[in-house]
Amino acid sequence: MKKTKIIMALAVLVIFSVIGTTVKGATILNYESLTYGDSIYKILVDGQTFTIPQTVTYEDGYSLDLTKYKERISQMSINALTYRNNGEITYNGGLYNALINGEYVVFFDEKGGLKDLTDQLVKNGFQKFQILPSRIAKKQEFEERIINEHPEGDILDQYNFRISTYAEDIALFEQIEADESTKPVLATLPYLGLATKTSETLNFDEQRITMKIELGYYPYAIICRDLRLNAITYSINGQAYTAVPSFNKDTYTYIIKLPDNTPSDATITTKSEGYMQKLMSQNNSLKDIDSGLVITEANTRLSNGMATVRVINTFDVTGTYGSMIDKTLSNNPSRTYTIKFTKFNFLKGDIDRNGVVDANDASLALEKYKINQWSQDDLKYGDMDENNLIDANDASLILEVYKTNN
């Protein structure tokens, strides 16, 4: 019963299993046992590398051999992925999708997770796409035996009985309604391992063939998500949104000089676009799929003309895959973009005007406080509480800015 099929396009090898009860047809099919392995998913975000193991072991002790899985991945050509011969795979970011069909549609949803399976759906898929081809091959085998072996008597009768039974099986399984469509799976390399023991018994006296089938299926997948942002815009006190200057999805920190007439307590809000979300919106077959990516925007009020905001793109693994999450994850993966807004030519607190607020600025504020001497520029950038002097409180506030931004 065991067979393999290559997923179309950019996908990988998948081996299938079945659920079901006894099916009485030309051949009596007895599905005598079924085990479910807990899904094992590996999550990769842009830039991450993972070495595919030789085997993965499930909670029931079953070890799934991933040798053929690695072979298939090594033969693929996907710009979003780099594969090395030791099983190391790097997700470069961007979008790709697998196309699945046949019985694969029964198991996988559009996000690469397992569907809510029913006995009948899986049984139909198994019989239509696995037993049917095997029955066609069996019928041909015994037809060729008659031609090549020239059997007589009981042997010939048994061969003819098998051919007749297999023909009835074929007619029965060809009538099964099973989803044969081709569907995309978002940025996922899925795999299902089949554990099966089958036996076929010919009872010629009772004119029947019985198959005993013991099955288990074990899902595994590498799921990729690009957490980078394609654009960030910001608004001051609800006015029109402005793009962050020179934005690049691989640059995660920005300093924005606000107009001098910006109120020192103005509210800054952001509106952003995810890079992967944009690519999906441009792909008709993927644009309506929930990627599980959630952008947390900023809504912050300036304090003395300054604010640091953070825009976060998070892959909600738990919400997307539920109990099938990657057990090695302690938190949902996220990517943070930090933007420092200031009304000043330099950041408030940057007394030495070197473009950053750090411990040295706090130390410098203390020195100026001790000697009670500072310039107007010192006062402009070092007077954190705006009381027209530089003192120990300013040094403390500068240190807080440094700690907060780092």
Side-chain angles (χ1 to χ4, degrees):
M1 283 297 115
K2 188 171 181 180
K3 78 163 197 172
T4 61
K5 179 190 288 185
I6 300 174
I7 296 181
M8 296 172 59
L10 302 181
V12 296
L13 179 75
V14 177
I15 309 175
F16 271 88
S17 63
V18 67
I19 304 174
T21 54
T22 300
V23 177
K24 293 187 177 179
T27 294
I28 299 174
L29 305 180
N30 293 305
Y31 297 93
E32 302 215 343
S33 68
L34 174 67
T35 57
Y36 295 82
D38 290 338
S39 304
I40 296 180
Y41 285 0
K42 181 63 185 176
I43 306 298
L44 281 183
V45 300
D46 52 283
Q48 285 188 337
T49 296
F50 170 64
T51 300
I52 303 170
Q54 194 66 31
T55 60
V56 291
T57 302
Y58 293 77
E59 291 186 0
D60 65 359
Y62 179 79
S63 291
L64 177 61
D65 188 343
L66 296 179
T67 302
K68 292 185 180 296
Y69 182 58
K70 292 197 285 186
E71 289 175 357
R72 288 296 177 188
I73 294 177
S74 69
Q75 295 168 9
M76 294 188 301
S77 178
I78 303 176
N79 290 334
L81 302 173
T82 299
Y83 182 86
R84 297 172 182 84
N85 290 331
N86 62 352
E88 183 179 277
I89 187 168
T90 298
Y91 174 46
N92 305 313
L95 182 64
Y96 71 92
N97 64 287
L99 297 177
I100 59 173
N101 68 354
E103 71 260 60
Y104 303 93
V105 177
V106 173
F107 287 91
F108 288 108
D109 65 22
E110 56 196 6
K111 293 177 287 188
L114 284 184
K115 288 182 177 179
D116 293 329
L117 304 176
T118 66
D119 289 5
Q120 192 62 50
L121 281 175
V122 179
K123 178 181 65 179
N124 286 353
F126 178 75
Q127 293 171 358
K128 182 80 172 185
F129 299 106
Q130 294 207 43
I131 297 184
L132 174 58
S134 72
R135 276 334 202 202
I136 293 174
K138 279 281 191 180
K139 179 174 178 291
Q140 182 178 352
E141 174 191 337
F142 280 92
E143 287 172 341
E144 291 176 353
R145 283 193 181 188
I146 290 177
I147 294 173
N148 297 326
E149 298 175 8
H150 307 292
E152 297 178 351
D154 288 345
I155 300 298
L156 178 60
D157 289 343
Q158 289 186 22
Y159 283 10
N160 282 325
F161 172 66
R162 282 185 179 274
I163 292 170
S164 173
T165 302
Y166 297 152
E168 290 186 44
D169 289 343
I170 293 167
L172 176 66
F173 297 139
E174 283 180 337
Q175 296 177 22
I176 293 175
E177 293 185 4
D179 191 345
E180 299 183 58
S181 61
T182 298
K183 296 181 179 179
V185 176
L186 174 64
T188 299
L189 300 177
Y191 189 80
L192 275 175
L194 174 69
T196 179
K197 295 180 180 178
T198 62
S199 61
E200 182 176 299
T201 303
L202 169 64
N203 189 327
F204 189 61
D205 292 335
E206 298 180 13
Q207 291 288 286
R208 72 180 187 186
I209 297 176
T210 302
M211 287 184 64
K212 176 182 176 182
I213 308 170
E214 300 178 22
L215 290 166
Y217 74 85
Y218 297 86
Y220 180 84
I222 298 175
I223 298 169
C224 301
R225 292 294 184 270
D226 194 328
L227 301 182
R228 294 172 297 177
L229 295 178
N230 186 65
I232 302 177
T233 61
Y234 65 93
S235 170
I236 304 172
N237 281 340
Q239 298 176 2
Y241 280 87
T242 302
V244 170
S246 303
F247 181 83
N248 183 289
K249 60 182 177 294
D250 295 310
T251 301
Y252 306 115
T253 301
Y254 297 87
I255 298 175
I256 294 180
K257 168 69 168 63
L258 296 171
D260 292 338
N261 62 353
T262 302
S264 294
D265 62 349
T267 297
I268 304 292
T269 56
T270 62
K271 185 168 60 176
S272 310
E273 178 184 48
Y275 177 59
M276 191 169 193
Q277 292 96 311
K278 179 183 180 180
L279 294 177
M280 290 176 62
S281 70
Q282 298 171 341
N283 187 314
N284 288 332
S285 64
L286 300 174
K287 64 181 181 180
D288 295 325
I289 297 177
D290 178 11
S291 65
L293 297 175
V294 180
I295 299 175
T296 303
E297 301 289 359
N299 189 332
T300 304
R301 187 180 294 274
L302 295 180
S303 175
N304 295 327
M306 292 179 58
T308 298
V309 306
R310 292 174 176 82
V311 181
I312 305 171
N313 196 16
T314 302
F315 181 21
D316 183 13
V317 180
T318 305
T320 307
Y321 297 102
S323 62
M324 297 183 290
I325 62 173
D326 184 346
K327 299 299 190 296
T328 65
L329 287 176
S330 57
N331 298 293
N332 285 326
S334 64
R335 175 90 59 219
T336 300
Y337 289 77
T338 300
I339 308 171
K340 301 175 182 180
F341 291 94
T342 177
K343 290 176 55 177
F344 310 98
N345 292 327
F346 293 96
L347 290 174
K348 192 75 169 177
D350 185 13
I351 297 181
D352 59 11
R353 272 87 80 189
N354 68 348
V356 295
V357 178
D358 54 22
N360 186 63
D361 294 304
S363 177
L364 190 57
L366 276 178
E367 289 180 14
K368 294 182 180 296
Y369 163 60
K370 288 177 182 179
I371 65 174
N372 195 31
Q373 184 177 341
W374 50 78
S375 68
Q376 282 302 112
D377 280 342
D378 292 337
L379 195 64
K380 182 177 181 180
Y381 300 113
D383 182 13
M384 304 297 288
D385 53 13
E386 297 187 345
N387 63 353
N388 290 318
L389 56 86
I390 294 178
D391 55 20
N393 186 56
D394 294 311
S396 176
L397 291 173
I398 292 172
L399 199 58
E400 283 299 315
V401 171
Y402 167 60
K403 290 178 180 178
T404 301
N405 292 341
N406 293 272

